[in-house]
Amino acid sequence: MNKYIVLAGQRSKQVINYRPRLSPEALTLAVVLLFTLFYNLSFWQEVFSDYALNDWRSWGNVAGLFVVLTSLQYVVFVVLAFRLSVKLLLSILVIIASCVSYFTGNYGTYFDTSMIDNVLQTDMQEARELFTAGFFMHLLTFGVFPIAIIWRVQIIKTSLATSIVRHLSYMLMGLVFLIVSVFMAYQGLSSLMRNDKALRYLVTPGNYIVSMAQVLASSGPITDTPRLPVGIDATMVAHPGEKPMLLVIVVGETVRAANWGLNGYERQTTPMLDQQAALVNFPNMVSCGTSTAASLPCMFSERGHDNYDKAYAQQHESLLDVLKHAGLDVTWLDNQSGCKGVCDGVTSTTLASDDYPALCDEGRCLDEALVEALSRQIETVPSNSKVVVLHQLGNHGPSYYQRYPSAFEYYTPTCMTSDLSQCSQASITNSYDNSLRYTDSVLSQVIDTLSEQSGYEAAMIYVSDHGESLGEKGLYLHGIPYSIAPDEQTRVPMVWWLSPAMARRQQIDTTCLGQVAANPASHDNFFHSVLGLLDVTTDVYQQGLDISQPCRESHAVSS
């Protein structure tokens, strides 16, 4: 018995001390094969859903795609795989691939440029919610463990001439495999890519690397150059003897139209708004993007979704600047990860936990803090018309259960973790709907605050920036490329509330507005509708996109 124990110990020691000897090119090939086989499961799942696997030609297409994917990544990565750099290079790629594969596999995330923008603009509070036990277990298995093996490999040392010849040979071999495999699999590959254009965003780690490069290239150098002006000719129609106006714009976060009670959802998630008089609901509203980083600059730009350009939005002023040019006082109050450049030209404040201790915990504030901040804004004696933007934390996932106080836990059981893979779809939806009922309460409090003040003629516009997937089609959260995004991520709620005095002042027929609200609308209407509601005239205003224009009686704003 002792003999066998000693022998087993010796074998174990040999295994532990074993260090394979590989060339940089061979090690790169081994890691690339791992990427294709184990880090692209979401990609292969999508591929298999497009093929009839009882057909031998489908298996041929899959095999061809396997060779194309492997050889393509190899040709790209082997270029930098030299003896002194290969381990560091492959370690970085493995970390990227392990992180990306976790999110594509668990949330159905597609890593395009919009998602990279979202990642780069996510604050630490948001990121912390995604760093779950499941994430770290995945990172340990697919990141740390493979890297440890990579660093155990002994890189073969050869002369410079031999290294150059071998490197060029491997590159040529990879290129030949790529060309031949593309040629042989071209028909099936081209058909697949035509039918599923977003499939390339699932190729890991290439999806992250290419999209990141595109984002960095499009950002350009950082300069202090002032943004180019928009609507500097803006003026506001005077109303002598009238009170100043106060428009509160509430920018919702991650609220989808499908679960909005006012839209006919099977659950009444908006019971308090349903009781508000003079409220107009817009049930057919479409967002400009599927993430905050895309939607906010787009909806506050005059260009609209079809003509939206990220670089243009970064270089030009927003709707808030136009309102400022017209003479209004504009303030942005933030309970989220910033305004994405929209509020750079106006007064902006991020809610601080110390200012609202009863509503804040661990650096996060409930949205009722925005109502209190609004009350402080309108306590002073008004001297000018004002626009206040409240940027909500809203329904931001995955920790929906943290977006509302315990008193709003109306639907149970709830998902009490940010690791959605640990919860049923029903419990995730329950938590999401509870946070919706809290948003309903916050908006009602905003309306009540505006109704009770007497210094302004007041109005409120609420609109969400984008929607959310709650497990439909295997998708969670948001940020899917817009061209393939499901309705859950692009259909959003919008409501308007006008005080009777505001409606009379602006000569808006609210009955007519309620009828117009049934028409299709989008974030494209937002910019021009705000200008029209506030009687702001400017060359950038487009009357055809102003929602309330058909319902204004005698002094409709002319473009």
Side-chain angles (χ1 to χ4, degrees), residues 509-521:
D509 183 343
T510 54
T511 300
C512 167
L513 189 62
Q515 295 169 347
V516 169
N519 297 332

Side-chain angles (χ1 to χ4, degrees), residues 182-494:
V182 168
F183 177 77
M184 296 184 66
Y186 179 77
Q187 184 174 357
L189 182 61
S190 61
S191 174
L192 178 65
M193 298 308 292
R194 265 197 318 271
N195 296 330
D196 198 345
K197 294 181 179 179
L199 190 62
R200 65 186 184 276
Y201 298 125
L202 293 176
V203 177
T204 304
N207 49 4
Y208 182 90
I209 295 170
V210 172
S211 296
M212 176 64 81
Q214 290 175 336
V215 167
L216 295 178
S218 65
S219 297
I222 299 174
T223 66
D224 294 327
T225 305
R227 292 179 304 157
L228 298 174
V230 173
I232 56 175
D233 63 327
T235 58
M236 189 169 60
V237 175
H239 291 265
E242 297 276 6
K243 293 179 181 179
M245 290 183 291
L246 169 60
L247 172 62
V248 176
I249 298 172
V250 184
V251 179
E253 171 63 39
T254 321
V255 178
R256 67 189 209 173
N259 291 48
W260 191 243
L262 293 174
N263 287 349
Y265 180 43
E266 61 186 16
R267 289 174 167 177
Q268 180 47 289
T269 53
T270 53
M272 299 182 73
L273 287 176
D274 194 47
Q275 300 301 313
Q276 289 285 354
L279 191 79
V280 178
N281 180 59
F282 293 77
N284 297 306
M285 187 73 177
V286 178
S287 69
C288 198
T290 61
S291 67
T292 305
S295 280
L296 264 191
C298 182
M299 66 190 286
F300 280 87
S301 168
E302 81 281 9
R303 304 198 96 186
H305 174 266
D306 291 344
N307 298 311
Y308 175 72
D309 178 73
K310 187 182 85 169
Y312 177 90
Q314 290 174 335
Q315 297 164 8
H316 288 76
E317 293 178 337
S318 74
L319 168 65
L320 302 185
D321 297 285
V322 179
L323 298 175
K324 185 177 177 181
H325 294 323
L328 288 99
D329 296 333
V330 183
T331 302
W332 180 285
L333 300 176
D334 203 283
N335 192 32
Q336 241 250 59
S337 58
C339 68
K340 316 306 180 189
V342 167
C343 64
D344 287 354
V346 301
T347 302
S348 62
T349 303
T350 299
L351 300 190
S353 300
D354 292 344
D355 294 333
Y356 310 93
L359 296 169
C360 303
D361 183 39
E362 297 182 359
R364 280 292 198 201
C365 295
L366 293 169
D367 281 333
E368 281 178 280
L370 288 170
V371 183
E372 190 170 328
L374 172 64
S375 297
R376 297 177 186 180
Q377 283 285 318
I378 60 181
E379 281 176 354
T380 57
V381 177
S383 59
N384 197 20
S385 290
K386 178 179 295 190
V387 174
V388 179
V389 183
L390 309 180
H391 188 198
Q392 289 187 298
L393 180 58
N395 283 47
H396 199 289
S399 299
Y400 307 118
Y401 71 101
Q402 293 182 338
R403 303 298 175 247
Y404 54 88
S406 57
F408 283 82
E409 195 164 283
Y410 188 83
Y411 304 109
T412 57
T414 56
C415 178
M416 301 296 289
T417 174
S418 58
D419 188 351
L420 300 183
S421 65
Q422 303 300 312
C423 299
S424 67
Q425 187 172 353
S427 65
I428 294 170
T429 302
N430 287 341
S431 297
Y432 183 86
D433 286 350
N434 288 336
S435 61
L436 261 184
R437 286 178 69 98
Y438 181 62
T439 290
D440 166 70
S441 173
V442 169
L443 294 178
S444 290
Q445 290 179 55
V446 170
I447 293 173
D448 291 342
T449 299
L450 296 179
S451 298
E452 292 165 4
Q453 61 80 38
S454 59
Y456 299 92
E457 313 290 17
M460 182 197 79
I461 294 177
Y462 167 81
V463 62
S464 182
D465 58 353
H466 55 78
E468 186 86 329
S469 288
L470 300 176
E472 301 86 4
K473 307 179 185 72
L475 301 177
Y476 292 89
L477 304 181
H478 52 267
I480 294 294
Y482 197 90
S483 60
I484 63 166
D487 287 347
E488 290 84 5
Q489 294 192 28
T490 60
R491 296 285 300 275
V492 295
M494 181 171 76

